[in-house]
Amino acid sequence: MTTPSPQGDREKIVSKLPPQLRQELKIRTAQLGVDIQDAVHAGITDWSGLASAPSPVETTGSEPFSTWLPSGQWETFRAHCKDRGVSLVQGLAQAIHLWLEKNPPPTVQRPVVVRRVVVCNQKGGVGKTAITAGAGEALAEDSNSLYPVRIARQLAALSDDASALDLEDLPGLGLRVLLVDFDPQSHLTKQLGCSPLAMGADSLTSHMAGEGKGPIQDLVVPIDDERFGGRLHLLPSCTDAFLLDVRLSTVRAREAALERALAPLESSYDVILVDCPPSLGLSMDAAVYYGRRRDGEAPGSSGALIVVQAEDSSADAYDLLTSQINDLRDDLRLDIDYLGIVVNLYDARRGFIATSSLQAWMDIKDPRVVAIVGDLKEQKEAVRMKQPLLSYAPKCDQSIAMRALAREIS
């Protein structure tokens, strides 16, 4: 069946395809940035140019499928199918299967230098842990599956109309991610259903103090969820981190202590996200130093991601944090990049304080706002269930926002 296109150069065709083949086509075209109609056109062209029809494709359970093709191509294809003794459904399935074979999925682009994202704010309660976990989960989602992503247009986000933002199904990023719980309160560890390391046992703190009892790799635990395919891992916290600043005071080159501790892990990951404590002490110095730009690393690959809320106390904490980062820049002559500001737990219904504070964050151009995440129930429910947000509610607005954030910082 065909329907003329309003533009006159294409016509709508209606046929059938096996659901699995249709899904593969949808994913592959998204991965390669190709329109489905162009892929089908190319597949039919290549199939028609073969000397004979290729091996049959299983078409049992085929479902309706439609797309737009150049005028006349479908009728020519219909004639080729008749000549080869195959049905239109079988011929179309073979043509799409041929296109998939000729256009394999792209490989995941892995950074030369592991990217290090330091998620920070001196103020507690702004949701650093939720942002660390959510961004890490989004970075690790399967690159051969599609997930809803809201393409960030921050000015549109100022309105209450969610339809002002575009929603697309995009492939996961498929990166190998390590989440580091650097906060002695262990919120990240507990939220992901893991247990903090025991006091007196080996921990990140002991490795930073130069007193590690074994390979730090032995402390890492996987986040067991098929969505992440073994790519998402956690370095749990230990309450001994409450004493970290005291222990670091006697350590040589203490600002590099976190980097020395994590160095044996870096070759196994593409991105390392550090969930920082609400502190401006020596441990924060070590975290910021870890996120500095290394030799040969492109600007904006690593750095500080600052989480705030749309209220006044976040602004005060922001000023303290950026002053500390700028002092480290000057004192140690470091290149420390700001990856952006995340306005978390936003709810326009809170009135003028929320909306005017959000506008104030939006007015900052360096660093710029890279995500606005709503204050919704799904995150709280995921914490209660001790499940990753993107597994618990993969299509909720918060999950969609996390995927947009992951693309901003990846």
Side-chain angles (χ1 to χ4, degrees):
M1 175 181 173
T2 63
T3 303
S5 165
Q7 291 78 23
D9 59 338
R10 284 184 178 259
E11 57 188 6
K12 184 178 181 180
I13 65 99
V14 179
S15 184
K16 289 186 175 182
L17 269 184
Q20 181 60 35
L21 191 60
R22 180 178 181 174
Q23 182 67 7
E24 286 184 49
L25 176 64
K26 184 179 180 181
I27 293 171
R28 190 69 51 81
T29 52
Q31 290 173 324
L32 299 174
V34 177
D35 285 339
I36 288 179
Q37 62 182 11
D38 294 332
V40 176
H41 165 55
I44 289 177
T45 299
D46 291 340
W47 182 89
S48 298
L50 296 174
S52 60
S55 300
V57 175
E58 178 58 57
T59 59
T60 302
S62 291
E63 298 176 351
F65 170 79
S66 63
T67 190
W68 295 88
L69 293 177
S71 296
Q73 186 182 36
W74 189 245
E75 287 305 316
T76 302
F77 178 61
R78 187 191 299 270
H80 286 149
C81 288
K82 183 176 180 180
D83 290 343
R84 292 177 179 177
V86 299
S87 67
L88 270 174
V89 173
Q90 179 62 218
L92 181 60
Q94 291 178 8
I96 290 175
H97 190 267
L98 177 63
W99 184 86
L100 290 169
E101 287 184 332
K102 294 184 68 172
N103 295 271
T107 57
V108 174
Q109 297 298 310
R110 307 204 179 279
V112 176
V113 179
V114 63
R115 306 186 70 171
R116 301 159 322 282
V117 179
V118 178
V119 185
C120 52
N121 193 332
Q122 176 265 341
K123 183 179 184 299
V126 296
K128 295 186 294 293
T129 297
I131 297 302
T132 303
E137 292 161 22
L139 288 164
E141 282 185 315
D142 184 8
S143 62
N144 290 313
S145 298
L146 298 180
Y147 306 96
V149 181
R150 182 152 286 134
I151 304 305
R153 292 180 182 171
Q154 298 297 353
L155 291 179
L158 287 171
S159 76
D160 295 331
D161 182 9
S163 65
L165 299 177
D166 294 332
L167 192 65
E168 293 186 20
D169 284 337
L170 297 177
L173 296 172
L175 298 175
R176 302 167 300 173
V177 178
L178 175 65
L179 304 175
V180 177
D181 193 348
F182 196 41
D183 188 342
Q185 298 174 94
S186 303
H187 291 319
L188 178 60
T189 300
K190 295 173 184 176
Q191 282 188 21
L192 294 174
C194 300
S195 298
L197 299 170
M199 282 289 289
D202 205 9
S203 67
L204 175 59
T205 299
S206 61
H207 281 265
M208 289 180 65
E211 300 169 358
K213 300 175 182 178
I216 195 169
Q217 291 91 333
D218 292 349
L219 305 180
V220 174
V221 296
I223 303 303
D224 189 16
D225 189 298
E226 64 180 13
R227 168 181 302 269
F228 311 121
R231 291 177 298 274
L232 183 63
H233 292 173
L234 169 72
L235 179 56
S237 179
C238 180
T239 51
D240 64 358
F242 279 115
L243 305 174
L244 180 57
D245 280 6
V246 174
R247 298 177 72 174
L248 285 180
S249 64
T250 61
V251 172
R252 176 184 59 82
R254 54 181 175 261
E255 68 278 354
L258 181 60
E259 182 164 305
R260 289 195 297 268
L262 296 180
L265 297 170
E266 291 187 353
S267 62
S268 299
Y269 299 98
D270 302 309
V271 185
I272 295 177
L273 293 99
V274 181
D275 182 25
C276 294
S279 165
L280 294 177
L282 298 179
S283 56
M284 191 62 214
D285 283 349
V288 172
Y289 183 89
Y290 184 60
R292 79 193 188 287
R293 191 191 316 159
R294 295 179 181 175
D295 291 342
E297 191 173 16
S301 296
S302 299
L305 183 66
I306 303 176
V307 182
V308 301
Q309 288 182 304
E311 40 78 36
D312 294 340
S313 61
S314 276
D316 297 335
Y318 171 84
D319 289 339
L320 291 171
L321 175 63
T322 52
S323 293
Q324 180 177 11
I325 292 174
N326 292 335
D327 286 345
L328 276 172
R329 276 175 164 173
D330 296 338
D331 294 347
L332 300 178
R333 298 181 181 179
L334 304 177
D335 290 320
I336 302 172
D337 296 323
Y338 289 109
L339 301 182
I341 297 171
V342 177
V343 182
N344 193 29
L345 301 173
Y346 178 68
D347 187 348
R349 295 174 301 177
R350 292 178 181 142
F352 175 73
I353 290 179
T355 56
S356 61
S357 295
L358 176 59
Q359 184 60 60
W361 291 121
M362 297 292 297
D363 289 341
I364 299 175
K365 303 305 179 185
D366 185 19
R368 65 187 179 89
V369 171
V370 294
I372 301 170
V373 181
D375 185 8
L376 302 171
K377 64 183 179 64
E378 286 83 2
Q379 175 64 47
K380 299 180 180 68
E381 291 172 351
V383 170
R384 172 68 65 86
M385 300 301 294
K386 298 187 184 303
Q387 293 181 18
L389 171 67
L390 272 66
S391 296
Y392 176 77
K395 295 183 179 180
C396 77
D397 281 347
Q398 288 168 320
S399 293
I400 291 168
M402 294 300 181
R403 296 188 186 103
L405 171 60
R407 281 162 171 79
E408 289 281 352
I409 63 174
S410 66

